[in-house]
Amino acid sequence: MTEYEAYQEHIRYTHDTYCRIVIRHASFDAARMLAARWKREISLEYLTEEKFVPLSTIDEYFQVPDYGETYPFSVRGQTIFLDSCSLAAALAELPEQSQEEIFLYYFQHLKQKEIGEQSGWTRSTIGRHIQLVLKRLKEEMEALPHE
C-alpha cells in the first residue's frame, strides 16, 4: 500500500468515525426530545378512565333550534309567530301604519318602493319610517323586562 493509499484510507476511517459520532448524538437528542414530550403528554386512556371525559364533540350549528314558546303577532289579517316575547309586545305597541310597514318589509320581503306605492308615500319616506320604527322598537324592547 502506498503512502497516498494509506492517507486515503485514513481519511475514509476518519470520515466514517465522524459520521457515526454525529448519528449517535442525533439519536441521543431525539431520545431526549421524546422523553421530554412523554413527560408533558397525558395518555387518552388516562383521561377516559380517570376523568370520564367523552372523546367526542357535538356540533350544534346544524341542529334545529328548539324555540319553545312562540308569541303571535297579527297584522293585515295574518298572524306571525315570533320567538321573542319582548319583540311581540313591542310590535303590538306600535301604531297600525308602522306595524304594516314592518310586516311588509321584513315578513313579506317587499321593497321600500313597493310599500310606498301601496301606501302613497315615496321610497325615501318609507325608508325613514322603517328606520324610525326600528329605533322605537329597540327603545321599547330595552324598556321591557327580558325573557
Side-chain angles (χ1 to χ4, degrees):
M1 177 182 279
T2 65
E3 191 175 318
Y4 177 74
E5 290 172 345
Y7 178 71
Q8 288 293 331
E9 189 175 339
H10 169 71
I11 296 280
R12 258 194 312 274
Y13 286 134
T14 306
H15 179 69
D16 289 348
T17 305
Y18 173 76
C19 289
R20 274 190 239 119
I21 291 171
V22 167
I23 290 171
R24 193 167 119 222
H25 285 277
S27 70
F28 292 157
D29 289 343
R32 200 174 309 123
M33 286 175 44
L34 280 175
R37 181 183 292 167
W38 289 338
K39 276 186 178 178
R40 291 189 309 262
E41 290 179 350
I42 298 173
S43 91
L44 292 176
E45 294 159 357
Y46 166 76
L47 287 176
T48 55
E49 291 171 6
E50 296 295 322
K51 305 288 183 187
F52 302 108
V53 177
L55 297 177
S56 65
T57 183
I58 298 173
D59 188 5
E60 297 176 6
Y61 183 79
F62 293 107
Q63 287 183 345
V64 177
D66 180 23
Y67 293 115
E69 197 171 345
T70 57
Y71 303 92
F73 168 68
S74 297
V75 64
R76 284 189 152 206
Q78 294 188 353
T79 302
I80 301 164
F81 293 97
L82 303 170
D83 309 345
S84 170
C85 177
S86 57
L87 177 61
L91 281 170
E93 296 294 319
L94 294 176
E96 189 175 334
Q97 170 79 24
S98 299
Q99 288 180 1
E100 287 182 10
E101 289 170 352
I102 292 294
F103 171 75
L104 292 173
Y105 189 71
Y106 287 103
F107 296 100
Q108 293 293 316
H109 305 291
L110 294 181
K111 296 180 180 171
Q112 293 176 357
K113 182 179 179 183
E114 296 169 337
I115 298 170
E117 289 170 355
Q118 287 183 11
S119 59
W121 298 93
T122 64
R123 185 214 53 85
S124 60
T125 304
I126 293 297
R128 182 71 180 144
H129 285 183
I130 291 172
Q131 187 179 29
L132 291 172
V133 168
L134 289 177
K135 185 177 179 183
R136 184 172 171 190
L137 273 175
K138 180 181 176 187
E139 291 169 358
E140 287 188 24
M141 287 179 69
E142 288 173 349
L144 291 173
H146 292 285
E147 299 174 20

